[in-house]
Amino acid sequence: MSLRVRLCPVLGPAVVELLVQCSKNKAPDGFRQGPDGAAEKSISVPGESEPRWVIVVPAGQVAAHLTWKKWCFLQLHAGIFGVHRNARVTYALLVQLVWWATMKTDVYNWVDQCLTCIRFRKRPTRQEQIAV
């Protein structure tokens, strides 16, 4: 399998290094280069006997103000229907599709910073009762 990767800021140096190692058959345990040339990581999903291969998300930018990691998060957290799932559910969905090293902490931080979630989910539902 030949490797054709240009050094570009979209992939980031860590993903480029991973792809170079994969092309030399020296990939770290649990990683491979997929049939389309993307870096993939093996994950085990509860209830499935076979491991699943998911895409390794690069550290690059989608646009000037948005990273690939944040874009993946936004698709599953808010999505087209504006669901605004909690951090546990968002992480559970995200881990089945993509992977990056700091995914869990990033997801929990982004949900904590989500203005819609702060406004509508992180408010008390009952007023405190004062004993008289």
Side-chain angles (χ1 to χ4, degrees):
M1 177 184 312
S2 65
L3 177 69
R4 297 178 188 167
V5 176
R6 290 181 294 151
L7 290 175
C8 62
V10 173
L11 287 177
V15 175
V16 170
E17 178 61 30
L18 179 62
L19 287 172
V20 169
Q21 290 176 357
C22 289
S23 70
K24 296 177 181 176
N25 293 327
K26 297 180 182 177
D29 195 29
F31 290 92
R32 74 174 186 184
Q33 184 175 10
D36 59 353
E40 296 179 342
K41 179 171 178 26
S42 174
I43 62 159
S44 58
V45 179
E48 291 184 16
S49 59
E50 294 290 319
R52 182 184 297 179
W53 291 95
V54 296
I55 299 293
V56 176
V57 178
Q61 300 285 120
V62 174
H65 66 286
L66 188 63
T67 65
W68 282 108
K69 296 172 184 179
K70 184 80 177 230
W71 184 85
C72 291
F73 162 78
L74 289 172
Q75 299 309 306
L76 291 173
H77 175 65
I80 193 168
F81 299 111
V83 178
H84 287 274
R85 298 171 174 95
N86 64 28
R88 184 184 52 80
V89 173
T90 303
Y91 176 73
L93 291 171
L94 201 58
V95 79
Q96 294 180 22
L97 299 174
V98 296
W99 180 86
W100 68 87
T102 59
M103 186 164 58
K104 190 168 189 172
T105 56
D106 290 344
V107 168
Y108 278 81
N109 288 337
W110 289 332
V111 169
D112 286 342
Q113 296 169 3
C114 177
L115 295 177
T116 303
C117 293
I118 291 170
R119 185 173 178 194
F120 295 106
R121 287 187 178 232
K122 299 208 176 202
R123 64 185 172 130
T125 55
R126 292 181 60 191
Q127 274 189 331
E128 289 184 29
Q129 306 238 341
I130 300 173
V132 189

